[in-house]
Amino acid sequence: DIQMTQSPPSLSASLGDKVTITCQASQNINKYIAWYQQKPGKAPRQLIRYTSTLVSGTPSRFSGSGSGRDYSFSISNVESEDIASYYCLQYDNLPYTFGAGTKLELK
Amino acid sequence: EIQLQESGPGLVKPSQSLSLTCSVTGYTITSGYDWSWIRKFPGNKMEWMGYISYSGSTNYNPSLKSRISITRDTSKNQFFLQLNSVTTEDTATYYCARESGPFDYWGQGVMVTVSS
């Protein structure tokens, strides 16, 4: 199985900050990484697929980049509605595997 | 609008089987895509469990392969999860989702507790 090492586990930010989350895969995943937002009691919401493609409805303050084993996800200008947990997912190889998640909180 | 909705018992006894249903509206599951089960444990770890494809083929996470079965009822546009010989470690919130490179539509999730 491909292991996805996501960091940091938690993040504290002020409104308007830029934050970055990283995921490192245990092998090359050929840019097949997606990023999800999850709020308590809700289903995960896909924000980005294939490293950097914003899914319809995703605000432009969200972005993704990377290649090979190393990927990052950023939120520029954090808004209150961005307070949530974020997960990466590799879908290059079965079994699909998720990162451990990052909880974004307001400072 | 595509919607998925999980249903099933919220409490299962150890050693018994966990059975869940995912009802899909707004899209016919035989038209395309893979239809997955995913779970989120109390510690927030998420695990892809397996899928049934639009053609009826299945693929399971090797970590569950001996205990899991995913089937469907095309007349009702539903697919099902059966997980056998459950233990307390199977306590989780279970989601069904459509996999379209990757998961785009999800159900709201159903919490299942394994306890005597």
Side-chain angles (χ1 to χ4, degrees), chain A residues 1 33-34 36 38 41-46 48-50 85 87 89 91 94-101, chain B residues 34 36 38 40 43-48 51 59 61-62 95 99-109:
Chain A
D1 298 6
I33 187 169
Y36 290 84
Q38 188 174 30
K42 300 291 188 181
R45 171 194 172 194
Q46 186 183 172
I48 289 174
R49 63 180 180 86
Y50 197 59
S85 293
Y87 294 87
L89 163 75
Y91 58 108
L94 290 172
Y96 305 131
T97 47
F98 292 85
Chain B
D34 299 328
S36 281
I38 297 160
K40 184 178 181 183
N44 295 323
K45 175 186 172 184
M46 295 188 71
E47 179 181 59
W48 171 78
Y51 69 66
N59 203 311
N61 192 318
Y95 298 94
E99 203 273 301
S100 66
F103 308 110
D104 54 357
Y105 291 94
W106 298 62
Q108 286 299 300

Side-chain angles (χ1 to χ4, degrees), chain A residues 58-72:
Chain A
T58 301
S60 58
R61 63 181 181 275
F62 294 94
S63 64
S65 65
S67 63
R69 295 175 55 209
D70 297 307
Y71 298 86
S72 63

Side-chain angles (χ1 to χ4, degrees), chain A residues 1-87:
Chain A
D1 298 6
I2 296 175
Q3 307 304 313
M4 299 297 288
T5 303
Q6 183 173 343
S7 63
S10 63
L11 206 44
S12 184
S14 301
L15 298 178
D17 281 356
K18 178 178 180 177
V19 298
T20 298
I21 299 167
T22 63
C23 269
Q24 182 177 67
S26 58
Q27 65 187 65
N28 180 8
I29 56 170
N30 300 299
K31 295 193 170 187
Y32 287 103
I33 187 169
W35 293 92
Y36 290 84
Q37 176 191 67
Q38 188 174 30
K39 296 182 178 180
K42 300 291 188 181
R45 171 194 172 194
Q46 186 183 172
L47 299 177
I48 289 174
R49 63 180 180 86
Y50 197 59
T51 296
S52 58
T53 301
L54 269 59
V55 170
S56 175
T58 301
S60 58
R61 63 181 181 275
F62 294 94
S63 64
S65 65
S67 63
R69 295 175 55 209
D70 297 307
Y71 298 86
S72 63
F73 167 84
S74 295
I75 311 172
S76 61
N77 203 12
V78 167
E79 298 188 5
S80 56
E81 65 185 35
D82 301 333
I83 301 309
S85 293
Y86 293 86
Y87 294 87

